[in-house]
């Protein structure tokens, strides 16, 4: 371990890991403070509004390394692209997040929604719902054409990991039918 003065100091593995985690948690605090968000370390809850893809990448990097976040409320306040949702999905899959609320404040973007791999803009959102670690998923601000801008979901999609599902999407009933362990559902 290198000290602030630049000297190398021997530290046992357990203390090194503790210091390493503290540094990542501090970085997360700093990123959240810049975005004028909230981080309750006791509850493992983060509330944040991201205003650009660049800010999102910085936040995703910080939250992926700080393992204490279990509940994420994230507002995406820019015209998101497919790549932005892939980065969100990758971050969620690398983190310890169990509950996520996504608000798509500005979700217009280009009209062309199919990328070279044949996937559509909102496909990564459904991939997040399918992650075994996710127990609660809520989405707000979804455009009316949300399902048209997503690949057709297979009839046997497995959402058995979800215990709570909330959305402002009219076709949520299809998703509810795919989540046998659902305890709570909310359509607004």
């Amino acid at each position: 371990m290198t000290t602030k003065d630049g000297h190398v100091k021997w530290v046992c593995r357990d203390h090194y890991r503790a210091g390493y985690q503290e540094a990542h948690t501090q970085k997360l605090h700093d990123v959240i403070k810049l975005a004028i968000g909230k981080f309750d370390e006791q509850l493992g809850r983060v509330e944040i509004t991201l205003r650009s893809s660049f800010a999102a990448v910085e936040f995703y990097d910080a939250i992926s390394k700080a393992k204490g976040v279990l509940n994420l409320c994230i507002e995406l306040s820019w015209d998101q692209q497919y790549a932005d949702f892939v980065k969100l999905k990758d971050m969620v899959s690398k983190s310890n997040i169990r509950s996520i609320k996504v608000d798509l404040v500005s979700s217009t973007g280009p009209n062309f929604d199919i990328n070279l791999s044949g996937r559509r803009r909102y496909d990564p959102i459904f991939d997040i719902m399918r992650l075994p670690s996710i127990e609660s998923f809520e989405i707000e601000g979804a455009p009316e054409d949300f399902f048209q801008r997503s690949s057709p979901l297979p009839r046997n999609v497995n959402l058995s990991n979800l215990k709570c599902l909330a959305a402002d999407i009219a076709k949520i009933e299809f998703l509810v039918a795919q989540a046998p362990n659902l305890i709570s559902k909310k359509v607004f």
Side-chain angles (χ1 to χ4, degrees):
M1 173 177 211
T2 306
T3 66
K4 292 178 185 175
D5 301 328
H7 295 81
V8 176
K9 176 180 162 185
W10 183 87
V11 179
C12 74
R13 187 175 299 172
D14 292 336
H15 284 99
Y16 177 77
R17 286 184 185 146
Y20 189 72
Q21 187 57 38
E22 285 175 22
H24 287 304
T25 301
Q26 185 56 50
K27 168 78 172 161
L28 179 61
H29 273 288
D30 295 344
V31 170
I32 291 171
K33 185 176 180 181
L34 276 173
I36 312 171
K38 298 176 187 172
F39 181 20
D40 185 335
E41 246 182 292
Q42 294 292 94
L43 297 176
R45 180 177 172 83
V46 171
E47 293 179 28
I48 192 165
T49 299
L50 300 172
R51 303 196 189 298
S52 71
S53 184
F54 178 77
V57 168
E58 190 174 350
F59 173 69
Y60 298 162
D61 181 55
I63 202 168
S64 294
K65 294 175 181 171
K67 300 296 180 188
V69 178
L70 301 173
N71 186 323
L72 174 63
C73 294
I74 186 169
E75 186 176 291
L76 306 177
S77 278
W78 77 94
D79 287 337
Q80 309 93 18
Q81 308 278 332
Y82 171 79
D84 297 316
F85 293 117
V86 169
K87 291 171 189 168
L88 174 64
K89 179 198 63 118
D90 290 345
M91 176 274 297
V92 172
S93 67
K94 292 176 189 172
S95 68
N96 290 333
I97 294 171
R98 301 288 175 256
S99 173
I100 184 167
K101 175 184 174 186
V102 180
D103 192 345
L104 307 175
V105 175
S106 299
S107 57
T108 54
N111 289 332
F112 188 72
D113 279 330
I114 301 174
N115 67 11
L116 295 175
S117 68
R119 304 230 11 188
R120 293 182 177 219
R121 179 180 306 171
Y122 298 118
D123 289 357
I125 297 289
F126 293 105
D127 293 342
I128 292 171
M129 285 185 213
R130 285 185 224 141
L131 289 172
S133 59
I134 298 299
E135 296 174 356
S136 175
F137 186 88
E138 184 173 338
I139 186 166
E140 288 185 8
E144 289 184 24
D145 62 350
F146 182 80
F147 280 95
Q148 286 83 4
R149 290 182 164 204
S150 306
S151 296
L153 290 173
R155 290 275 175 221
N156 61 348
V157 66
N158 184 1
L159 298 176
S160 61
N161 54 302
L162 288 179
K163 293 182 176 78
C164 178
L165 178 65
D168 58 355
I169 305 167
K171 295 183 179 180
I172 192 174
E173 293 305 320
F174 171 74
L175 296 174
V176 169
Q178 306 306 316
N181 296 329
L182 209 58
I183 297 169
S184 167
K185 78 167 182 164
K186 180 169 75 171
V187 181
F188 37 88

